[in-house]
Amino acid sequence: MTLFRTLLIATIVQTPSLGQLQITHDQLIAVDLNGYVVEIAPKDSEEARSIIEKASSQSPPVVVTTLPSGSFLLPTFVDLHLHAPQFLYLGTGLHLPLMKWLNEYAYKAEERLDADPELANRVYVRLAERLLEAGTGAVLAFGTIKSETNLILAEVMQTKGLRGFVGKLSMDISSRPTYVEASAGASLSEAEMFIRRCREIPIGPENSERLVHPVVTPRFVPTCSDELLLGLGKLVKAEGVHVQSHLAEARDQVDWVRNTRNAEDIDVFDRSGLLTSRTIQAHCTFLHSPELTRMQASGAAIAHCPLSNAYFSSQPFRLREALSAGVTVGLGSDVAGGYQIDIMSAMRNAVSTSRMRDGSLREADIEAANQPSGASHTNVSIEWKEALFLATRGGANALGLLTGCLKPGSPFDAQRIDLTTENYHGVGALDFFDATKDFEIDEDAVEKWWCLGDNRNRRSVWIQGRQVYNAEV
Ligand SMILES: *[C@@H]1O[C@H](CO)[C@@H](O)[C@H](O)[C@H]1NC(C)=O
Ligand SMILES: [Zn+2]
């Protein structure tokens, strides 16, 4: 017999497929003790009534909570690319080009945390709290070189109830002599040990499931020898873990690989066995349609980080082409290459970047054809509903998670968003001049939140059925 943990009656907003927004009102959502959605049904239906009755007679009884009409439930966001230690230097030094910035800020931050577990713990606790407050329910994170520091990160995430895919960095080449692993062999055995120890982290009494998983993480081609990359490819195959790295991110980085390896990033990863269906590559800004098709064929996903691209990539990612080629794409904050931890900001930047890209392609077409009707390229803009899909389901698909949507069988990973107060005043930055007691959430209201909303609209967050965030009101 199913025992219930939570019963809610709410409006559900979600994106079942790219570009499709679904709003369903007055739904009963029943969550079992293990944190899975067991049923979603209209609140007056036979199924709903029978569940409410069963839950009220279980011991202790669970009563149904009805959310106010100005609130909705949305799947949590997935941050598909973030550097946890760089949170220390969020919003600093962004005037530098990539290779210089890494040397002067990123490596330094990582080295400081590896030398100071107490500092690492403070940074990671705060990071986890910020992510939950921003509605991020799962994160694919780069850590540091040292296993112990990454275990602190994984333990913090498990304790806080956040889904964390944690990567111990592998790098046996470095521009910073004090921040590098001794050899390919040493790096490989450390990576193997991290996988084992991460899998031994206790689940903890508050959680019904393991939420943290180890990820093989070659930093990027410039910092990894061929021997290391080949070894990591074998490790991935043997252990069945996810892989993350950076691919074709910036002009100086692409040139570096061409000059030192006489190869392209995508070929180096491919021949090392690191382009798999469990691979997530950040950026890919220098990939064109043929290589995007290659990414799709390999099953590898892409973490699109538009704000970071604006600083470090010198050109926008070909997002529409990637989606048309069938590549799995999610959004990343790229903290601290991107200074905003909030995936809402990544959604907005993805849309505005795609629109500017579309405009410049159109202008180039018109100039080439020398007439206004010369615009012949396909529309590469994406719209907000597509961005919402990427931020939720897209990222979940990339990680093989069943989150990012709310349906029977999926884990209850959800955020409660409040648009209006009980008195029908807009919450936070939102104003609804026509809201009255008949206020019903529709597409216009959700779009307004997508454009203007912030943390003030986020009332609660649940992950695997556990309430992990509750705003003070
Ligand atoms: C291009 O696509 C965007 C997003 O779907 C849409 O809003 C816009 O109207 C389209 N532009 C043109 C010129 O069709
Ligand atoms: Zn990155």
Side-chain angles (χ1 to χ4, degrees), residues 320 355 358 362 379-383 386:
R320 174 59 73 200
R355 293 181 68 94
D358 190 63
R362 175 158 302 141
N379 188 346
V380 299
S381 304
I382 66 151
E383 54 166 1
E386 294 177 294

Side-chain angles (χ1 to χ4, degrees), residues 81-83 86 98 101-102 142 219 245-246 249 282-283 305 308 334-337:
H81 185 62
L82 167 149
H83 296 263
Q86 295 175 20
L98 178 65
W101 182 80
L102 285 173
F142 277 59
R219 171 167 224 130
S245 193
H246 300 85
E249 174 179 6
H283 309 309
C305 312
S308 164
D334 194 19
V335 162

Side-chain angles (χ1 to χ4, degrees), residues 393-425:
R393 194 69 201 123
N397 282 338
L399 290 169
L401 292 170
L402 297 174
T403 65
C405 62
L406 293 170
K407 61 178 182 204
S410 64
F412 187 59
D413 283 35
Q415 43 184 326
R416 169 180 164 182
I417 303 294
D418 285 8
L419 301 185
T420 65
T421 64
E422 310 265 345
N423 304 323
Y424 309 101
H425 294 303

Side-chain angles (χ1 to χ4, degrees), residues 362-375:
R362 175 158 302 141
E363 285 307 310
D365 269 1
I366 291 171
E367 267 172 43
N370 202 19
Q371 51 174 345
S373 61

Side-chain angles (χ1 to χ4, degrees), residues 334-360:
D334 194 19
V335 162
Y339 54 81
Q340 285 173 326
I341 202 165
D342 191 335
I343 288 299
M344 297 203 53
S345 135
M347 289 197 284
R348 292 168 188 151
N349 285 316
V351 169
S352 52
T353 302
S354 75
R355 293 181 68 94
M356 291 297 278
R357 228 194 117 217
D358 190 63
S360 28

Side-chain angles (χ1 to χ4, degrees), residues 144-379:
T144 57
I145 288 180
K146 196 170 168 186
S147 287
E148 280 73 16
T149 318
N150 299 302
L151 290 167
I152 294 174
L153 175 59
E155 277 160 18
V156 165
M157 288 181 168
Q158 180 70 29
T159 306
K160 292 272 178 193
L162 177 64
R163 288 185 200 281
F165 291 78
V166 176
K168 183 214 109 55
L169 276 185
S170 300
M171 53 189 282
D172 61 345
I173 303 172
S174 174
S175 54
R176 195 173 173 84
T178 48
Y179 193 61
V180 65
E181 294 176 287
S183 65
S187 176
L188 287 170
S189 42
E190 195 69 24
E192 202 175 338
M193 183 187 71
F194 173 70
I195 293 173
R196 182 171 47 76
R197 291 181 62 190
C198 186
R199 285 175 169 162
E200 286 166 359
I201 289 174
I203 289 173
E206 315 85 351
N207 298 303
S208 53
E209 299 217 347
R210 176 170 302 281
L211 300 171
V212 295
H213 305 280
V215 180
V216 161
T217 308
R219 171 167 224 130
F220 64 157
V221 174
T223 59
C224 301
S225 66
D226 285 340
E227 187 189 348
L228 175 56
L229 292 173
L230 280 166
L232 291 174
K234 287 195 186 113
L235 187 59
V236 166
K237 202 163 179 200
E239 297 289 344
V241 285
H242 283 94
V243 189
Q244 60 180 339
S245 193
H246 300 85
L247 196 153
E249 174 179 6
R251 167 57 60 197
D252 57 348
Q253 176 262 314
V254 168
D255 286 346
W256 184 295
V257 174
R258 284 181 185 153
N259 292 336
T260 55
R261 302 289 246 276
N262 197 22
E264 300 295 317
D265 277 354
I266 190 168
D267 294 317
V268 177
F269 284 118
D270 200 3
R271 72 181 182 220
S272 309
L274 292 167
L275 277 192
T276 73
S277 58
R278 313 197 83 191
T279 300
I280 295 97
Q281 290 286 1
H283 309 309
C284 301
T285 33
F286 279 70
L287 296 190
H288 295 259
S289 288
E291 294 104 45
L292 290 168
T293 301
R294 230 177 117 184
M295 291 292 283
Q296 189 278 334
S298 72
I302 296 176
H304 175 36
C305 312
L307 179 59
S308 164
N309 292 167
Y311 282 89
F312 292 113
S313 289
S314 70
Q315 64 168 333
F317 170 55
R318 291 167 183 81
L319 174 57
R320 174 59 73 200
E321 290 87 326
L323 294 172
S324 302
V327 182
T328 303
V329 180
L331 298 178
S333 63
D334 194 19
V335 162
Y339 54 81
Q340 285 173 326
I341 202 165
D342 191 335
I343 288 299
M344 297 203 53
S345 135
M347 289 197 284
R348 292 168 188 151
N349 285 316
V351 169
S352 52
T353 302
S354 75
R355 293 181 68 94
M356 291 297 278
R357 228 194 117 217
D358 190 63
S360 28
L361 289 175
R362 175 158 302 141
E363 285 307 310
D365 269 1
I366 291 171
E367 267 172 43
N370 202 19
Q371 51 174 345
S373 61
S376 59
H377 79 282
T378 47
N379 188 346

